[in-house]
Amino acid sequence: MSDIQSQSCGCMGRENALVDSVYDHLTAADAPLAMSYVPCQQWEIPYDPCTALKVGTVFESLCKPFCGKGGKCR
């Protein structure tokens, strides 16, 4: 963020300064902020509409329910 932007918006509070210092450190190390992995998906028979709406996806291989902390469904 440029000095002009930080002065005009008034957003350089303590929290933003911490974020900026972490970002500056990653930039100096030439580190990516995030990386993604997207495997190729094979076509498969989709769920019926009711099941798809219930589980939140059309394909069985993409049905990955979030089970919360610890990765175990109760």
Side-chain angles (χ1 to χ4, degrees):
M1 179 181 293
S2 75
D3 290 335
I4 295 170
Q5 289 174 319
S6 63
Q7 290 172 2
S8 65
C9 72
C11 64
M12 285 304 294
R14 200 167 118 194
E15 297 84 13
N16 287 331
L18 177 61
V19 170
D20 282 346
S21 70
V22 170
Y23 181 76
D24 289 341
H25 175 74
L26 291 172
T27 303
D30 199 25
L33 291 177
M35 296 177 73
S36 65
Y37 168 71
V38 183
C40 292
Q41 180 183 350
Q42 299 295 318
W43 177 259
E44 58 187 285
I45 306 224
Y47 283 137
D48 64 275
C50 289
T51 302
L53 285 171
K54 183 178 178 184
V55 298
T57 185
V58 181
F59 299 111
E60 183 177 1
S61 65
L62 298 178
C63 185
K64 310 285 186 202
F66 177 72
C67 298
K69 188 175 182 181
K72 295 181 182 177
C73 293
R74 300 185 197 276

